[in-house]
Structures are given as C-alpha cells and as structure tokens.
Amino acid sequence: ASVPFVDSRGLEVLVEANDTLAAGGRSLKLCSINETIREVLDLTGLATRFDHYDDMNSALRSFH
C-alpha cells in the first residue's frame, strides 16, 4: 500500500520473483496495491500473472 509507483525495473523484479516462486510450486500474491500500479500492470499485460488481493488478510487466507 505504501508503494506509490513502479518503474520498468520494478516490474522486472516482480516478474522474476514470480517466475522463481512458480518454479518451486509457490506463488507471489500482491495485496493493497494502489490504482496507479494496478493500471501499470493492466497496461503492460502483467496483471494476469499475479494474484491480487485487497488486503493482507485476504491474501493470507488464499493459501488455505
């Protein structure tokens, strides 16, 4: 929630982390992202690569 924006390097890091986790059968979950970051993910076509949750509790519950 406290990340105001993400640049191309930030997107690369998210994708790399997600790919690394996926290789081990895990997943990266994004929670509480702001509208600007949501738009960047949508515009770059990366939104579908991540699970999105409104808050941390929702993200944690998704593991069960």
Side-chain angles (χ1 to χ4, degrees):
S2 62
V3 177
F5 66 93
V6 64
D7 60 11
S8 60
R9 182 62 188 136
L11 292 174
E12 287 177 28
V13 169
L14 287 174
V15 169
E16 290 170 5
N18 191 50
D19 291 348
T20 299
L21 289 168
R26 298 171 289 176
S27 64
L28 178 66
K29 301 184 185 284
L30 304 179
C31 61
S32 301
I33 61 173
N34 66 39
E35 188 62 31
T36 301
I37 294 176
R38 191 174 300 271
E39 284 183 33
V40 169
L41 292 172
D42 286 337
L43 290 171
T44 58
L46 295 173
T48 59
R49 296 195 59 177
F50 306 100
D51 292 332
H52 302 257
Y53 296 91
D54 291 334
D55 55 62
M56 189 183 320
N57 288 329
S58 298
L60 289 172
R61 282 192 302 271
S62 74
F63 284 104
H64 300 285

